[in-house]
């Protein structure tokens, strides 16, 4: 407990799944958390649950692809006590059916780039001046193992996630002397509301990709985010940390579903 005592954190895409788990754990560990999302009911529920457990949090509607929304979120964060210690860029554009290069649409490309890549940039750009002024700050970009390895029929999503890895390394290089740390967290298959149906063909395939033989829980990703956000990781920056049950550790790949 108290690994983030008195820290101020902003988490994007925090209404559900991994973002919610990160927000809840940060609050349990003593941080005040601004929970941001475009799903207002779910975001407000996340905050109610945090408050009910004795944590401190607020919810704010924020479309990270909008500079105006990001500015408002940063202003709300700074209103807490004038600082931002931690930024978690978790928001991403997700749909049920992405496409390969031949069939991918301009719309899915634009939304992937606008939300995951530019959204991360807008939030990081808004946070950096305040972190630099204090010579302190930790930024965690929630990416995906799809940024590290190719994946079928998801070219826009995969390309955007790969770009985020480069973004993280560049920011780490530019602002390390200001004591700003930025790291990429790459979840593998995680059981969330948008995850594969347990027991189904795709779920079993995902389990077979990991050396642990199972999918992960959102809380397990949150624990990794907590480490990167905390002062325990004070000498860690620019890294790509897979939280994937060993998916990226193994070169052996069973056939994909349907093969």
């Amino acid at each position: 407990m108290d690994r983030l005592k008195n820290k101020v954190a902003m988490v994007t895409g925090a209404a559900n799944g991994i973002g919610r788990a990160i927000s809840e754990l940060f609050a349990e560990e003593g941080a005040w958390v601004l929970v941001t999302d475009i799903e207002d009911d779910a975001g407000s529920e996340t905050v109610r649950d945090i408050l009910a457990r004795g944590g401190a949090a607020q919810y704010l509607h924020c479309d990270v692809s909008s500079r105006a929304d990001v500015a408002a979120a940063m202003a709300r964060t700074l209103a807490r006590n004038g600082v931002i210690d931690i930024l978690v860029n978790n928001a991403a554009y997700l749909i049920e059916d992405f496409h390969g290069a031949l069939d991918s649409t301009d719309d899915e490309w634009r939304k992937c780039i606008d939300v995951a890549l530019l959204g991360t940039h807008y939030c990081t750009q808004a946070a950096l001046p305040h972190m630099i002024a204090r010579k302190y700050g930790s930024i965690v970009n929630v990416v995906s193992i799809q940024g590290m390895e190719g994946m079928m029929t998801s070219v826009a999503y995969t390309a955007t996630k790969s770009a985020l890895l480069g973004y993280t390394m560049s920011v780490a290089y530019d602002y390390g002397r200001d004591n700003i740390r930025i790291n990429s967290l790459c979840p593998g298959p995680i059981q969330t509301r948008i995850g594969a149906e347990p027991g189904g063909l795709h779920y079993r395939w995902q389990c077979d990709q990991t050396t642990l033989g199972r999918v992960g829980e959102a809380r397990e990703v949150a624990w990794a985010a907590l480490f990167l956000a905390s002062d325990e990781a004070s000498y860690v920056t620019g890294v790509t940390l897979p939280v994937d049950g060993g998916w990226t550790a193994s070169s052996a790949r069973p056939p994909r579903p349907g093969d």
Side-chain angles (χ1 to χ4, degrees), residues 129-166:
H130 307 286
M131 292 179 169
I132 291 169
R134 298 173 59 231
K135 300 294 184 182
Y136 184 89
S138 177
I139 301 172
V140 179
N141 291 335
V142 180
V143 188
S144 170
I145 57 169
Q146 286 191 234
M148 303 172 65
E149 297 195 349
M151 197 69 65
M152 62 279 198
T153 58
S154 57
V155 65
Y157 182 84
T158 298
T160 303
K161 292 298 187 178
S162 295
L164 280 171
L165 298 181

Side-chain angles (χ1 to χ4, degrees), residues 197-233:
E197 181 180 356
L201 180 64
H202 191 68
Y203 179 88
R204 295 196 302 273
W205 175 77
Q206 288 181 332
C207 291
D208 288 342
Q209 304 303 295
T210 72
T211 60
L212 295 182
R214 66 177 178 87
V215 302
E217 301 292 334
R219 183 84 167 184
E220 293 177 297
V221 181
W223 282 113
L226 173 63
F227 167 69
L228 292 176
S230 75
D231 290 338
E232 295 166 15

Side-chain angles (χ1 to χ4, degrees), residues 32 34 58-60 71-81:
W32 178 90
L34 183 69
Q58 290 183 17
Y59 173 73
L60 184 68
M74 188 56 56
R76 179 71 65 88
T77 303
L78 295 171
R80 176 66 181 177
N81 63 5

Side-chain angles (χ1 to χ4, degrees), residues 36-55:
T36 73
D37 208 292
I38 60 172
E39 297 188 30
D40 296 337
D41 290 342
S44 297
E45 180 184 356
T46 296
V47 168
R48 285 195 297 271
D49 286 350
I50 289 172
L51 297 177
R53 298 173 190 172

Side-chain angles (χ1 to χ4, degrees), residues 1 18 78 84 95 100 105 116 125 129 185 190 198 211 256:
M1 298 293 291
I18 291 171
L78 295 171
I84 177 169
I95 56 175
T105 66
Q125 195 174 53
L185 188 60
I190 305 297
T211 60
R256 65 184 182 180

Side-chain angles (χ1 to χ4, degrees), residues 89 138-145 147-148 161-174 176 180-187 224-230 232-243 248:
N89 289 308
S138 177
I139 301 172
V140 179
N141 291 335
V142 180
V143 188
S144 170
I145 57 169
M148 303 172 65
K161 292 298 187 178
S162 295
L164 280 171
L165 298 181
Y167 183 88
T168 299
M169 290 186 286
S170 182
V171 174
Y173 186 91
D174 288 339
I180 311 303
R181 298 183 299 103
I182 180 167
N183 295 288
S184 292
L185 188 60
C186 291
L226 173 63
F227 167 69
L228 292 176
S230 75
E232 295 166 15
S234 58
Y235 200 54
V236 179
T237 191
V239 306
T240 299
L241 175 61
V243 184
T248 52

